Amino acid sequence: INNFTFYLSGKMFTFPQQTNTAHVRLNTTREDFSAVTVCLRSFTDLSRNHVLFSLATPSAANDFLLFKRAAANQIEISARNVGALFDGQEYTLNTWLSVCATWDSTSGLGQLWLNGKPSSRKFTSTGSNIRGRAIITLGQEQDSHGGGFDANQSLVGMISDVHMWDYVLSNCEIHRYMDNLNFTPGNVLNWRALDFQIRGRVLLEEKQAICY
């Protein structure tokens, strides 16, 4: 296991096979969040359940979770172990998708953005912050703090441009992220200065560009 801090613009993590081991751990020293925004880009051909982003603390395995359900176009956001299901947005296979998820503890509302389109705002959990030593994983969904992986929930595909903020990003900033414009990088996780560990068969590769 090696620790890296890299400027990853133009790169992607490739998860080439279904396992219950291979993942990327993203490191942060932050231990208290009253609000969260996570944005990332993903690419897969999976039609089964699969994880996009998993943050666990000792008190909650799904303290902040972004999870694609097997049912077409259903994505779940969980905060403090309480989930809300978002339906009807086009989760297209075999193409890059831009995904952002927001939550704040005061209102308890979560919202999903997919390729620039917002969802309805839905209640998840309110009244308590995400608190404790956070373990964040890509490629595997945590059912316990740092573990409990299930191959049938793993990601097979690619992930890029991961950012996390400790506040709810404005609509305009989310659109700037989705449109690849100049946006304020994450102040918790920043793809341009990411502290991470690769565990198992995960590749750090150049992101494939479309050539015309």
Side-chain angles (χ1 to χ4, degrees):
I1 300 170
N2 294 311
N3 248 71
F4 301 101
T5 301
F6 276 154
Y7 178 85
L8 293 185
S9 289
K11 304 283 189 182
M12 65 183 183
F13 290 125
T14 298
F15 304 84
Q17 64 186 143
Q18 177 172 309
T19 76
N20 65 352
T21 53
H23 65 285
V24 177
R25 180 176 288 195
L26 308 181
N27 300 314
T28 179
T29 57
R30 295 290 304 277
E31 295 191 353
D32 195 344
F33 302 96
S34 61
V36 170
T37 302
V38 169
C39 290
L40 56 84
R41 304 189 211 281
S42 64
F43 187 111
T44 187
D45 66 355
L46 293 177
S47 55
R48 61 162 170 78
N49 288 347
H50 57 276
V51 67
L52 295 172
F53 183 92
S54 174
L55 185 157
T57 62
S59 64
N62 295 333
D63 232 342
F64 194 77
L65 174 69
L66 191 52
F67 192 83
K68 173 64 179 67
R69 292 290 178 186
N73 299 325
Q74 287 191 350
I75 301 177
E76 181 178 349
I77 297 174
S78 291
R80 306 293 294 129
N81 276 349
V82 180
L85 199 60
F86 298 84
D87 202 352
Q89 291 172 301
E90 294 181 14
Y91 191 89
T92 308
L93 303 184
N94 293 310
T95 190
W96 281 104
L97 301 176
S98 296
V99 184
C100 290
T102 67
W103 169 80
D104 87 272
S105 64
T106 302
S107 68
L109 296 182
Q111 188 170 28
L112 178 75
W113 294 72
L114 186 60
N115 287 346
K117 296 180 180 179
S119 71
S120 295
R121 292 162 60 77
K122 294 189 178 182
F123 182 80
T124 56
S125 174
T126 188
S128 65
N129 290 4
I130 296 171
R131 188 172 286 125
R133 189 171 74 87
I135 295 179
I136 301 169
T137 58
L138 304 176
Q140 298 288 344
E141 194 266 327
Q142 301 173 74
D143 284 332
S144 61
H145 190 223
F149 301 149
D150 179 348
N152 292 316
Q153 297 179 336
S154 67
L155 175 71
V156 181
M158 294 90 81
I159 283 188
S160 185
D161 299 336
V162 181
H163 290 264
M164 177 177 172
W165 297 260
D166 63 357
Y167 56 93
V168 173
L169 217 59
S170 72
N171 295 1
C172 291
E173 281 288 324
I174 288 174
H175 276 290
R176 294 184 73 81
Y177 170 87
M178 300 242 165
D179 293 338
N180 280 304
L181 299 174
N182 187 33
F183 64 93
T184 304
N187 63 348
V188 180
L189 299 173
N190 179 356
W191 190 252
R192 300 166 190 170
L194 199 67
D195 184 352
F196 66 93
Q197 297 168 321
I198 288 177
R199 302 186 177 199
R201 182 169 287 130
V202 182
L203 305 173
L204 178 61
E205 300 187 292
E206 294 292 327
K207 190 175 179 182
Q208 293 172 313
I210 297 173
C211 299
Y212 297 96

